[in-house]
Amino acid sequence: EVQLVESGGGLVQPGGSLRLSCAASGFTFSSYWMSWVRQAPGKGLEWVANIKEDGSEKYYVDSVKGRFIISRDNAKNSMYLQMISLRAEDTAVYYCARVGDTESNFDYWGQGTLVTVSS
Amino acid sequence: SYVLTQPPSVSVAPRQTARITCGGNNIGSKSVHWYQQKPGQAPVLVVYDDSDRPSGIPERFSGSNSGNTATLTISRVEAGDEADYYCQVWDSSYDHWVFGGGTKLTVL
Protein backbone atom coordinates (compact mmCIF):
# COMPACT_ATOMS: atom_id res chain seq x y z
CA GLU A 1 0.00 0.00 0.00
CA VAL A 2 1.34 3.39 -1.01
CA GLN A 3 1.79 5.71 1.95
CA LEU A 4 2.99 9.29 2.04
CA VAL A 5 3.41 10.98 5.42
CA GLU A 6 4.27 14.65 5.73
CA SER A 7 5.82 16.31 8.75
CA GLY A 8 7.50 19.53 9.74
CA GLY A 9 4.65 21.99 9.54
CA GLY A 10 3.95 24.58 12.19
CA LEU A 11 3.74 28.25 13.06
CA VAL A 12 6.53 30.49 11.77
CA GLN A 13 6.98 34.24 11.66
CA PRO A 14 7.10 36.14 8.39
CA GLY A 15 10.61 35.97 6.98
CA GLY A 16 11.27 32.73 8.80
CA SER A 17 12.20 29.28 7.54
CA LEU A 18 10.78 25.80 7.73
CA ARG A 19 11.67 22.38 6.33
CA LEU A 20 8.97 19.92 5.41
CA SER A 21 9.54 16.20 5.03
CA CYS A 22 7.64 13.47 3.24
CA ALA A 23 8.25 9.82 4.13
CA ALA A 24 7.23 7.38 1.42
CA SER A 25 6.53 3.65 1.60
CA GLY A 26 4.78 0.91 -0.32
CA PHE A 27 6.41 1.61 -3.70
CA THR A 28 9.83 2.00 -5.31
CA PHE A 29 10.42 5.62 -4.36
CA SER A 30 13.42 6.09 -6.63
CA SER A 31 11.31 5.29 -9.71
CA TYR A 32 8.87 8.18 -9.41
CA TRP A 33 8.80 11.90 -9.76
CA MET A 34 7.48 13.50 -6.57
CA SER A 35 5.68 16.75 -5.89
CA TRP A 36 4.51 19.27 -3.31
CA VAL A 37 1.03 20.75 -3.70
CA ARG A 38 -0.46 23.29 -1.30
CA GLN A 39 -3.90 24.54 -0.37
CA ALA A 40 -4.46 27.83 1.42
CA PRO A 41 -7.33 27.86 3.93
CA GLY A 42 -10.63 27.77 2.07
CA LYS A 43 -8.90 27.95 -1.32
CA GLY A 44 -8.07 25.63 -4.17
CA LEU A 45 -5.10 23.42 -4.92
CA GLU A 46 -1.82 24.95 -6.10
CA TRP A 47 1.11 22.97 -7.45
CA VAL A 48 4.34 24.11 -5.74
CA ALA A 49 7.26 22.00 -6.97
CA ASN A 50 8.27 18.73 -8.64
CA ILE A 51 11.46 16.70 -8.56
CA LYS A 52 12.61 14.00 -10.94
CA GLU A 53 13.35 10.43 -9.84
CA ASP A 54 17.09 11.05 -9.44
CA GLY A 55 16.77 14.68 -8.35
CA SER A 56 18.38 15.97 -11.54
CA GLU A 57 15.39 18.10 -12.58
CA LYS A 58 13.33 20.39 -10.40
CA TYR A 59 10.46 22.71 -11.26
CA TYR A 60 8.76 25.40 -9.20
CA VAL A 61 5.71 27.62 -9.39
CA ASP A 62 6.85 31.19 -9.99
CA SER A 63 5.68 32.47 -6.59
CA VAL A 64 8.18 30.29 -4.69
CA LYS A 65 11.20 30.39 -7.01
CA GLY A 66 14.28 31.51 -5.13
CA ARG A 67 12.64 30.85 -1.75
CA PHE A 68 11.76 27.15 -1.76
CA ILE A 69 14.04 24.21 -2.56
CA ILE A 70 12.74 20.71 -3.25
CA SER A 71 15.06 17.77 -2.66
CA ARG A 72 14.99 14.04 -2.06
CA ASP A 73 17.00 11.23 -0.50
CA ASN A 74 16.23 7.99 -2.29
CA ALA A 75 18.20 5.98 0.27
CA LYS A 76 15.76 7.21 2.93
CA ASN A 77 12.65 7.15 0.73
CA SER A 78 12.10 10.76 1.62
CA MET A 79 11.42 14.10 -0.02
CA TYR A 80 11.89 17.55 1.45
CA LEU A 81 10.82 21.14 0.95
CA GLN A 82 13.10 23.79 2.40
CA MET A 83 11.22 27.06 2.68
CA ILE A 84 12.86 30.41 3.46
CA SER A 85 11.67 34.02 3.49
CA LEU A 86 8.19 32.82 4.29
CA ARG A 87 5.25 35.12 3.69
CA ALA A 88 1.69 35.20 4.99
CA GLU A 89 0.50 34.00 1.59
CA ASP A 90 2.51 30.79 2.03
CA THR A 91 0.10 29.76 4.78
CA ALA A 92 -1.44 26.49 3.59
CA VAL A 93 -1.72 22.77 4.00
CA TYR A 94 1.21 21.28 2.11
CA TYR A 95 0.61 17.91 0.50
CA CYS A 96 3.23 15.45 -0.66
CA ALA A 97 2.09 13.70 -3.84
CA ARG A 98 3.47 11.01 -6.10
CA VAL A 99 3.54 11.88 -9.78
CA GLY A 100 1.83 9.21 -11.86
CA ASP A 101 3.37 7.06 -14.55
CA THR A 102 2.61 9.57 -17.31
CA GLU A 103 4.42 12.26 -15.30
CA SER A 104 1.45 14.60 -15.68
CA ASN A 105 -0.85 13.79 -12.76
CA PHE A 106 -0.70 13.04 -9.03
CA ASP A 107 -1.86 9.53 -8.26
CA TYR A 108 -1.26 9.31 -4.50
CA TRP A 109 -1.37 12.01 -1.84
CA GLY A 110 -0.39 12.33 1.79
CA GLN A 111 -2.69 13.81 4.42
CA GLY A 112 -0.85 17.11 4.46
CA THR A 113 0.95 19.28 7.00
CA LEU A 114 -0.19 22.78 7.94
CA VAL A 115 2.19 25.70 7.64
CA THR A 116 1.05 28.96 9.24
CA VAL A 117 3.04 32.12 8.63
CA SER A 118 2.01 34.75 11.14
CA SER A 119 3.47 37.10 13.70
CA SER B 1 0.86 30.48 -18.01
CA TYR B 2 -1.99 28.14 -18.78
CA VAL B 3 -5.34 28.87 -17.13
CA LEU B 4 -8.09 26.36 -16.32
CA THR B 5 -11.59 27.67 -15.62
CA GLN B 6 -14.21 25.76 -13.62
CA PRO B 7 -17.67 26.82 -12.43
CA PRO B 8 -17.58 27.52 -8.67
CA SER B 9 -20.55 25.29 -7.97
CA VAL B 10 -22.79 22.63 -9.47
CA SER B 11 -25.94 21.24 -7.88
CA VAL B 12 -27.68 18.00 -8.74
CA ALA B 13 -30.42 15.80 -7.31
CA PRO B 14 -29.62 12.26 -6.18
CA ARG B 15 -29.57 9.63 -8.93
CA GLN B 16 -29.23 12.33 -11.59
CA THR B 17 -26.16 13.12 -13.69
CA ALA B 18 -23.67 15.82 -12.75
CA ARG B 19 -21.40 17.43 -15.31
CA ILE B 20 -18.46 19.57 -14.23
CA THR B 21 -16.63 21.50 -16.92
CA CYS B 22 -13.03 22.65 -17.17
CA GLY B 23 -12.20 25.25 -19.78
CA GLY B 24 -8.80 26.00 -21.28
CA ASN B 25 -7.28 27.16 -24.52
CA ASN B 26 -7.20 24.09 -26.81
CA ILE B 27 -7.43 21.86 -23.74
CA GLY B 28 -8.39 19.02 -26.07
CA SER B 29 -4.70 18.73 -26.99
CA LYS B 30 -3.73 18.06 -23.37
CA SER B 31 -4.32 15.20 -20.95
CA VAL B 32 -6.78 16.25 -18.26
CA HIS B 33 -6.95 14.77 -14.79
CA TRP B 34 -9.69 15.12 -12.16
CA TYR B 35 -9.51 15.00 -8.37
CA GLN B 36 -12.17 14.67 -5.72
CA GLN B 37 -11.60 16.32 -2.35
CA LYS B 38 -13.96 15.89 0.58
CA PRO B 39 -13.81 18.26 3.57
CA GLY B 40 -10.75 17.70 5.74
CA GLN B 41 -9.33 15.06 3.41
CA ALA B 42 -6.59 14.87 0.84
CA PRO B 43 -7.50 14.92 -2.85
CA VAL B 44 -8.15 11.64 -4.64
CA LEU B 45 -7.51 11.05 -8.35
CA VAL B 46 -10.80 9.96 -9.93
CA VAL B 47 -10.11 10.33 -13.66
CA TYR B 48 -6.76 10.57 -15.47
CA ASP B 49 -5.71 11.05 -19.08
CA ASP B 50 -9.11 12.52 -19.95
CA SER B 51 -11.22 9.42 -19.40
CA ASP B 52 -9.38 6.63 -17.55
CA ARG B 53 -10.28 5.60 -14.02
CA PRO B 54 -7.82 4.47 -11.35
CA SER B 55 -8.60 1.15 -9.74
CA GLY B 56 -11.28 1.44 -7.10
CA ILE B 57 -13.05 4.41 -8.69
CA PRO B 58 -16.67 3.60 -9.61
CA GLU B 59 -17.69 3.43 -13.27
CA ARG B 60 -20.13 6.25 -12.50
CA PHE B 61 -17.17 8.62 -12.90
CA SER B 62 -16.20 9.35 -16.49
CA GLY B 63 -14.44 12.05 -18.43
CA SER B 64 -14.23 13.58 -21.87
CA ASN B 65 -12.08 16.25 -23.49
CA SER B 66 -12.41 18.10 -26.76
CA GLY B 67 -11.78 21.55 -28.14
CA ASN B 68 -11.66 24.07 -25.31
CA THR B 69 -13.61 22.08 -22.71
CA ALA B 70 -13.05 18.97 -20.64
CA THR B 71 -15.92 17.45 -18.68
CA LEU B 72 -16.17 15.22 -15.64
CA THR B 73 -19.45 13.31 -15.63
CA ILE B 74 -20.81 11.63 -12.53
CA SER B 75 -23.78 9.36 -13.23
CA ARG B 76 -26.38 8.30 -10.70
CA VAL B 77 -25.07 10.81 -8.19
CA GLU B 78 -25.02 9.78 -4.54
CA ALA B 79 -24.87 11.85 -1.38
CA GLY B 80 -21.31 10.61 -0.87
CA ASP B 81 -20.21 12.29 -4.11
CA GLU B 82 -20.65 15.70 -2.52
CA ALA B 83 -17.15 17.22 -2.64
CA ASP B 84 -14.88 19.70 -4.37
CA TYR B 85 -13.64 18.61 -7.78
CA TYR B 86 -10.49 19.93 -9.46
CA CYS B 87 -9.25 19.52 -13.01
CA GLN B 88 -5.52 19.55 -13.71
CA VAL B 89 -3.15 19.51 -16.68
CA TRP B 90 0.56 19.62 -17.31
CA ASP B 91 1.58 22.77 -19.16
CA SER B 92 4.50 21.55 -21.25
CA SER B 93 5.35 25.07 -22.40
CA TYR B 94 6.48 26.04 -18.91
CA ASP B 95 6.90 22.65 -17.21
CA HIS B 96 4.20 23.68 -14.76
CA TRP B 97 1.42 21.56 -13.36
CA VAL B 98 -1.83 23.57 -13.30
CA PHE B 99 -5.07 23.15 -11.36
CA GLY B 100 -8.45 24.63 -12.06
CA GLY B 101 -10.07 26.70 -9.35
CA GLY B 102 -12.31 23.86 -8.23
CA THR B 103 -16.04 23.15 -8.34
CA LYS B 104 -18.15 22.42 -5.29
CA LEU B 105 -20.66 19.67 -6.08
CA THR B 106 -23.79 19.84 -3.96
CA VAL B 107 -26.22 16.94 -3.87
CA LEU B 108 -29.68 18.34 -3.25
Side-chain angles (χ1 to χ4, degrees):
Chain A
E1 178 193 6
V2 173
Q3 286 199 329
L4 299 169
V5 179
E6 304 92 338
S7 61
L11 175 63
V12 61
Q13 292 188 339
S17 302
L18 211 56
R19 188 194 194 210
L20 306 183
S21 299
C22 170
S25 61
F27 65 101
T28 304
F29 182 73
S30 59
S31 296
Y32 287 86
W33 284 69
M34 295 294 296
S35 180
W36 289 99
V37 177
R38 68 184 179 183
Q39 186 170 36
K43 302 297 184 182
L45 300 172
E46 180 183 39
W47 167 75
V48 174
N50 272 22
I51 185 168
K52 194 176 179 180
E53 297 97 324
D54 61 0
S56 62
E57 294 182 34
K58 305 173 184 180
Y59 300 96
Y60 301 90
V61 68
D62 290 348
S63 59
V64 308
K65 281 181 182 177
R67 300 188 301 121
F68 289 11
I69 297 176
I70 188 172
S71 63
R72 65 191 295 161
D73 185 339
N74 287 343
K76 295 183 177 180
N77 290 340
S78 295
M79 178 179 66
Y80 309 98
L81 187 67
Q82 178 68 51
M83 305 183 293
I84 67 170
S85 302
L86 283 162
R87 307 166 180 167
E89 53 265 36
D90 295 318
T91 294
V93 173
Y94 285 72
Y95 293 101
C96 164
R98 190 180 84 169
V99 178
D101 291 335
T102 58
E103 298 177 3
S104 66
N105 62 45
F106 310 102
D107 60 356
Y108 288 94
W109 299 63
Q111 285 304 305
T113 187
L114 176 62
V115 173
T116 303
V117 184
S118 174
S119 55
Chain B
S1 61
Y2 197 77
V3 176
L4 295 173
T5 301
Q6 298 182 236
S9 63
V10 167
S11 298
V12 64
R15 298 178 298 281
Q16 299 305 303
T17 297
R19 294 179 179 85
I20 299 173
T21 59
C22 176
N25 184 33
N26 196 27
I27 195 174
S29 67
K30 301 181 181 298
S31 290
V32 179
H33 317 291
W34 292 91
Y35 303 86
Q36 176 194 68
Q37 185 181 33
K38 296 181 179 180
Q41 298 184 19
V44 173
L45 181 66
V46 293
V47 167
Y48 67 97
D49 292 349
D50 297 340
S51 58
D52 291 333
R53 280 185 313 278
S55 61
I57 301 301
E59 291 183 7
R60 301 185 298 103
F61 289 81
S62 62
S64 62
N65 184 20
S66 178
N68 292 318
T69 304
T71 303
L72 173 69
T73 301
I74 309 172
S75 304
R76 302 181 300 282
V77 166
E78 304 172 355
D81 297 331
E82 194 163 273
D84 294 326
Y85 290 86
Y86 295 89
C87 59
Q88 177 256 315
V89 301
W90 173 52
D91 180 5
S92 58
S93 300
Y94 294 95
D95 277 322
H96 276 36
W97 284 256
V98 181
F99 287 95
T103 298
K104 180 177 181 58
L105 176 68
T106 299
V107 180
L108 301 171

